[in-house]
Amino acid sequence: MAIGGKRPVDEELQDYARLLVRAGFLDDAQMRAEVVSAIEAELPDVAVDAPILARAWLGGAAAQLRKDAALWPAETDHDRLQATFGECAEHQVPVLQGVEDHWSAKAELDRLAGEGRTPRGIAWFTAADVWHAIDQGMLEVNVWHGTTANVAPGDALLESVLSCLGRHGLAARFDEGRIEVSAHWQRRP
């Protein structure tokens, strides 16, 4: 039931399933568990049917992704992003994709420091950032120095990452502490 002009809860949950499928960070069992848990929490009246609904919604989202992907260009923004992230990693700026929050980046920096390898920097973004890129065509990426200090305008590390994005055909700008990359997350199934 819709309240206050918002979409009904079941539509929101179906959209959540769609975003999980398109982001591509979880395997099938993990996605099912996520959607079942969300159904049980948000629609307790149908909790007994949560596994069936989750399977149906995820299956429908996967089928639609396959249909949409057949129409995508040979090289997508996602392909360009992955090439950029690979190049960044080669230059000691690993990129953490779809992480929970900034603590994941801090933990990775600590792990690398423990191995005696402090990187030049680290870039990271959350699953919610990817969901925004799926629907809005803009991925927000955080970039830190290896010390966890944020990059700032005029910073050589920031300029290097922006330049790398540009070399791979992605328009980007630094705004309010994050890089905004004009890119749709078109990850192939």
Side-chain angles (χ1 to χ4, degrees):
M1 176 178 186
I3 299 173
K6 291 187 175 183
R7 291 191 307 173
V9 174
D10 62 327
E11 286 182 21
E12 292 287 337
L13 292 172
Q14 287 178 56
D15 194 49
Y16 177 58
R18 177 186 67 86
L19 293 170
L20 289 175
V21 167
R22 288 184 179 257
F25 293 124
L26 304 176
D27 65 27
D28 290 344
Q30 292 169 320
M31 285 190 292
R32 266 193 312 280
E34 284 287 321
V35 175
V36 165
S37 177
I39 292 168
E40 290 171 346
E42 299 297 325
L43 295 171
D45 293 346
V46 297
V48 69
D49 295 325
I52 295 165
L53 289 171
R55 184 170 280 118
W57 293 345
L58 290 165
Q64 186 62 51
L65 174 59
R66 287 189 300 275
K67 191 183 292 186
D68 292 347
L71 303 175
W72 292 343
E75 183 181 50
T76 66
D77 288 346
H78 182 267
D79 297 327
R80 286 184 280 280
L81 285 166
Q82 297 310 309
T84 300
F85 300 155
E87 184 177 334
C88 285
E90 289 173 13
H91 295 281
Q92 297 183 17
V93 183
V95 180
L96 305 179
Q97 302 182 47
V99 296
E100 189 152 327
D101 56 27
H102 70 278
W103 291 111
S104 299
K106 172 74 169 99
E108 179 65 5
L109 287 173
D110 290 346
R111 184 188 72 75
L112 292 168
E115 294 175 359
R117 302 182 301 136
T118 300
R120 189 168 150 222
I122 193 165
W124 58 274
F125 52 89
T126 67
D129 294 322
V130 170
W131 301 342
H132 190 250
I134 290 167
D135 288 335
Q136 303 302 318
M138 195 265 286
L139 178 67
E140 292 185 347
V141 179
N142 296 280
V143 181
W144 289 352
H145 288 277
T147 61
T148 72
N150 286 320
V151 294
D155 188 306
L157 178 58
L158 172 60
E159 295 306 318
S160 293
V161 174
L162 288 171
S163 175
C164 186
L165 287 159
R167 277 194 306 282
H168 290 280
L170 295 165
R173 69 186 187 109
F174 188 69
D175 186 45
E176 297 183 14
R178 294 168 64 142
I179 295 175
E180 295 179 348
V181 185
S182 294
H184 282 91
W185 190 267
Q186 295 173 311
R187 182 177 181 161
R188 296 189 191 283

